[in-house]
Amino acid sequence: MSPDEPSSPGSPDYDPDATTRFAPIYASHSKAKNNAALVMLAVALIASVASLAWLIGQTVAIGPSAPRATAASSPTSSKLSTALPRNTTVCSPEVVRSDTTNCTLARRVLAAVRTLGTDVPPTFRVTVTDPQTNKNVTLVCSVKGWIECKTGDVTVFVRPQ
């Protein structure tokens, strides 16, 4: 037997791939599998690039999401709405009072409003003890640029959170 001839199927050196009669069939079957795998990979790659491009296009077309209104801000509030109200006295950066009350009452109103959290209705009430009279005072609050709480001639403005 010559070295170019394959050994017989019963011998331990037998290699079916070394035979010329199996090579054309084996090579064409392997090539078909590789081509199918490459086509599927190409389709998956094109689909993922197309979906990514669509997603980017949607994001650019829509733009950044608009800030959601909370109870502390109203649709009519503007950049100027956080300016200090007129004829008021600052008790702290978070609370301002009218000239007809004091900072102790204003801070108590601030504490009462803060206990309600950020999800408050457009209009609500808070009850605090007036330090001058030691009586409970109920203030009606409305959410604007500032949270404005009023009773009679007393007005307290609380900066929204």
Side-chain angles (χ1 to χ4, degrees), residues 51-133:
S51 64
L52 182 62
W54 177 82
L55 182 63
I56 291 171
Q58 291 296 316
T59 304
V60 170
I62 294 171
S65 62
R68 294 184 180 169
T70 62
S73 66
S74 68
T76 59
S77 67
S78 66
K79 290 183 181 182
L80 300 176
S81 65
T82 57
L84 292 175
R86 293 183 185 182
N87 301 323
T88 58
T89 302
V90 176
C91 297
S92 77
E94 295 185 318
V95 67
V96 178
R97 67 174 175 85
S98 64
D99 293 333
T100 56
T101 189
N102 56 50
C103 285
T104 304
L105 178 68
R107 286 189 197 99
R108 289 181 182 180
V109 171
L110 169 67
V113 169
R114 291 293 186 251
T115 59
L116 298 174
T118 58
D119 192 22
V120 292
T123 304
F124 59 95
R125 297 175 188 266
V126 294
T127 302
V128 296
T129 304
D130 186 346
Q132 292 176 335
T133 63

Side-chain angles (χ1 to χ4, degrees), residues 2 16 18 25-26 30 46 53 64 69-70 81 88 94 96 114 116 121-122 125 134 146 149-150:
S2 73
I25 296 170
Y26 179 74
S30 175
I46 290 170
T70 62
S81 65
T88 58
E94 295 185 318
V96 178
R114 291 293 186 251
L116 298 174
R125 297 175 188 266
N134 279 340
W146 287 72
C149 299
K150 294 176 106 178

Side-chain angles (χ1 to χ4, degrees), residues 5 15 26-27 31 33 35 40 43 48 60 64 67 70 73 81 101 109 116-118 122 140 143 145 148:
E5 289 183 28
D15 182 12
Y26 179 74
K31 191 174 185 180
K33 280 185 179 179
N35 285 344
M40 289 188 335
V43 168
S48 62
V60 170
T70 62
S73 66
S81 65
T101 189
V109 171
L116 298 174
T118 58
V140 177
V143 178
E148 181 180 351

